């Protein structure tokens, strides 16, 4: 069986991921900066479907309009030659010093206005490149000292920016869906809207919630000590999984953005099982974006080994998940634990259903002694993951 990626796998990488020069808070870059057109060509070579970008990943900050147009024209040709597309774009609202106190939520109204203006221009760029999803990661939207502003005011500012920008997209006729990406901290001491769950509620308070979903990232939910699979499942269940950032992460660490599957392989397996719908649920149909980068130890060849590894691991786990859910022993155990409700609670309360339920007798002790065989189930899953079933 081949695990080689094809365009149909919808694997994407950001310019900032495979283009990461290996800088970290304690060290200088270890790799040369890469030309975006070369990245596009290499991604096409290794079987990726697309390339994502922040505005400044492609068009250096402060470029003139003429330079911007030339860069964009060259990049569009590079994508075309490589046979790849640009499914997602986003704005860098976190690198420039002006955003040191946030962008949309900053206390200085000039900063807030500038951030929205910069995002409008970045949206124009994304649409010109064919993007259909626009990600908002509020890396600087947070605090070190919460004496600086009422968090409720920060939420109002963030909401105002998003509502203004959905209005801009509608006015421009842009076919863009917004995907909000949560992170609990780093680079700020605390970042507002810290998990996907926070984002899902926040979306319900927006003027155009139907245009807005989430972009959960493995590392970010893991940093918060949460189950990434549960967060993604909740987003899928309410139709809000508009994009996803895949990578590897160990709990209790800074945002490592490691190769997909390189740390918690069991959670990676369960995530791929969920996304691919091998257990029978709805499948995620969007891009599989690896928001990750190679170890700082790697040279250029190591970077592309990293990228191949992300895609190959995903494809191997997809085949393992298919085999697991096709395993008769698994199906037998799941079948004994998936009976329908005794009363149709999902139809809501009615006097009849209430009376029906109140008339039931339950032998709690007899029910409690039932063995569920989850040890056997999990062992079988582990053996599928280890490739011995
Ligand atoms: C970090 O996890 C963020 C930024 O890299 C970017 O804004 C977003 C896009 O996936 N992820
Ligand atoms: Mn991250
Ligand atoms: Mn991300």
């Amino acid at each position: 069986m081949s695990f080689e990626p094809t365009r149909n796998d919808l694997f994407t990488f950001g310019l900032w991921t495979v283009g990461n020069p290996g800088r970290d808070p304690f060290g200088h870059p270890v790799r040369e900066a890469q030309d975006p057109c070369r990245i596009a060509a290499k991604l096409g070579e290794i079987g990726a479907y697309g390339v994502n970008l922040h505005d400044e990943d492609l068009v250096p900050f402060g470029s003139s309009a003429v330079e911007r147009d030339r860069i964009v024209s060259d990049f569009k040709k590079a994508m075309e030659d490589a046979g790849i597309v640009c499914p997602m774009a986003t704005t860098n609202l976190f690198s420039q010093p002006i955003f040191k106190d946030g962008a949309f939520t900053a206390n200085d109204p000039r900063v807030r206005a500038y951030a929205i203006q910069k995002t409008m221009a970045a949206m124009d760029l994304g649409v010109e490149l064919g993007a259909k999803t626009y990600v908002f990661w509020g890396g600087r939207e947070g605090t070190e000292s919460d004496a600086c502003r009422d968090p409720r005011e920060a939420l109002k500012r963030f909401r105002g920016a998003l509502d203004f920008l959905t209005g801009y997209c509608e006015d421009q006729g842009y076919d863009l869906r917004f995907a909000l990406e949560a992170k609990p901290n780093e680079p700020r001491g605390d970042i507002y809207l810290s998990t996907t769950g926070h984002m899902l509620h926040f979306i319900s308070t927006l003027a155009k919630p139907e245009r807005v979903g989430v972009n959960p990232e493995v590392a970010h939910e893991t940093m918060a000590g949460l189950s990434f699979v549960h967060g993604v499942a909740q987003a899928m269940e309410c139709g809000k999984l508009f994009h996803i950032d895949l990578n590897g992460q160990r709990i209790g660490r800074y945002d490592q953005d490691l190769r997909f599957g390189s740390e918690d392989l069991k959670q990676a397996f369960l995530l791929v099982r969920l996304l691919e719908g091998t257990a029978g649920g709805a499948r995620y149909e969007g891009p599989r974006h690896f928001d990750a980068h190679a170890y700082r130890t790697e040279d250029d060849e190591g970077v592309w080994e990293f990228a191949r590894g992300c895609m190959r691991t995903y494809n191997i786990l997809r085949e393992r998940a298919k085999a697991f859910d096709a395993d008769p022993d698994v199906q037998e155990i799941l079948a004994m634990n998936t009976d329908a409700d005794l009363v149709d609670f999902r139809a809501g309360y009615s006097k009849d259903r209430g009376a029906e339920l109140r008339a039931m007798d339950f032998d709690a002790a007899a029910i409690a002694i039932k063995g569920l065989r989850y040890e056997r189930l999990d062992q079988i899953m582990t053996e599928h993951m280890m490739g011995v079933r």
Side-chain angles (χ1 to χ4, degrees):
M1 177 177 295
S2 165
F3 301 113
E4 286 308 299
T6 70
R7 302 278 191 260
N8 294 335
D9 292 329
L10 301 186
F11 292 137
T12 61
F13 291 84
L15 284 177
W16 71 93
T17 68
V18 286
N20 184 303
R23 178 188 303 108
D24 70 23
F26 304 99
H28 300 302
V30 295
R31 295 183 288 263
E32 291 298 313
Q34 290 186 64
D35 179 287
C37 293
R38 186 226 181 204
I39 292 175
K42 291 289 288 185
L43 287 175
E45 261 176 50
I46 65 172
Y49 163 71
V51 59
N52 302 322
L53 51 87
H54 301 81
D55 49 350
E56 294 180 35
D57 297 337
L58 181 65
V59 182
F61 186 76
S63 296
S64 69
V66 171
E67 287 164 343
R68 177 246 186 242
D69 291 348
R70 177 189 58 74
I71 290 166
V72 171
S73 170
D74 291 350
F75 189 68
K76 282 162 81 170
K77 180 158 185 332
M79 286 199 296
E80 189 182 342
D81 292 348
I84 65 173
V85 294
C86 175
M88 182 272 274
T90 182
T91 324
N92 185 326
L93 294 176
F94 44 86
S95 294
Q96 298 302 327
I98 188 174
F99 299 127
K100 63 189 178 184
D101 181 34
F104 298 149
T105 64
N107 279 350
D108 186 332
R110 297 168 300 170
V111 176
R112 302 199 294 270
Y114 176 70
I116 295 172
Q117 182 196 72
K118 189 174 195 279
T119 302
M120 292 165 82
M123 285 177 163
D124 296 345
L125 171 63
V127 168
E128 190 173 344
L129 294 172
K132 296 293 184 211
T133 301
Y134 205 82
V135 163
F136 291 80
W137 171 62
R140 297 285 178 194
E141 311 296 7
T143 60
E144 285 70 44
S145 165
D146 269 295
C148 71
R149 67 182 140 258
D150 183 328
R152 292 167 294 184
E153 176 58 24
L155 291 173
K156 289 176 171 50
R157 291 171 183 171
F158 204 106
R159 180 180 302 113
L162 289 175
D163 288 346
F164 187 89
L165 290 163
T166 44
Y168 174 66
C169 284
E170 292 195 342
D171 186 42
Q172 295 291 102
Y174 288 165
D175 178 20
L176 270 187
R177 296 198 307 178
F178 293 5
L180 307 185
E181 178 173 346
K183 186 176 180 181
N185 59 70
E186 191 196 27
R188 298 307 299 266
D190 284 292
I191 295 179
Y192 299 122
L193 296 165
S194 51
T195 72
T196 294
H198 289 81
M199 288 296 191
L200 287 171
H201 172 265
F202 185 66
I203 289 167
S204 71
T205 72
L206 298 175
K208 302 281 184 178
E210 65 280 4
R211 251 190 192 264
V212 189
V214 290
N215 176 46
E217 178 178 307
V218 173
H220 300 175
E221 302 294 308
T222 303
M223 285 169 71
L226 301 175
S227 162
F228 186 67
V229 171
H230 292 184
V232 170
Q234 183 175 352
M236 293 176 81
E237 201 271 340
C238 63
K240 288 295 184 184
L241 187 65
F242 285 10
H243 198 262
I244 193 166
D245 276 1
L246 302 173
N247 52 27
Q249 178 72 29
R250 286 178 65 191
I251 194 164
R253 304 298 194 279
Y254 61 91
D255 186 12
Q256 296 177 294
D257 292 341
L258 297 169
R259 185 180 77 255
F260 179 65
S262 62
E263 288 302 329
D264 191 338
L265 201 51
K266 182 173 181 177
Q267 288 305 309
F269 170 88
L270 289 165
L271 175 63
V272 171
R273 181 176 184 233
L274 176 72
L275 295 175
E276 295 300 326
T278 59
R283 185 175 179 276
Y284 165 61
E285 300 298 340
R288 275 81 171 144
H289 174 227
F290 297 107
D291 186 6
H293 51 75
Y295 300 137
R296 190 165 180 262
T297 53
E298 299 311 291
D299 61 8
D300 185 63
E301 180 47 38
V303 166
W304 300 102
E305 280 305 318
F306 146 81
R308 290 186 191 94
C310 287
M311 298 187 287
R312 186 170 164 77
T313 294
Y314 188 102
N315 280 346
I316 292 168
L317 290 175
R318 179 176 56 217
E319 294 314 309
R320 292 267 179 259
K322 283 180 186 170
F324 174 72
D325 282 307
D327 187 321
D329 294 341
V330 168
Q331 292 173 349
E332 179 198 349
I333 295 171
L334 292 180
M336 65 177 271
N337 285 291
T338 48
D339 295 334
D341 279 327
L342 301 180
V343 174
D344 187 5
F345 298 115
R346 298 181 195 183
Y349 177 83
S350 71
K351 279 192 184 308
D352 290 350
R353 282 193 279 274
E356 184 187 352
L357 178 60
R358 297 298 290 271
M360 290 179 178
D361 284 327
F362 295 97
D363 180 343
I367 294 170
I369 62 174
K370 175 185 175 187
L372 304 177
R373 304 187 67 203
Y374 291 170
E375 279 291 349
R376 175 88 181 114
L377 181 64
D378 196 83
Q379 177 63 25
I380 292 172
M381 178 170 71
T382 303
E383 292 182 9
H384 274 281
M385 287 172 51
M386 294 194 286
V388 296
R389 281 183 76 102

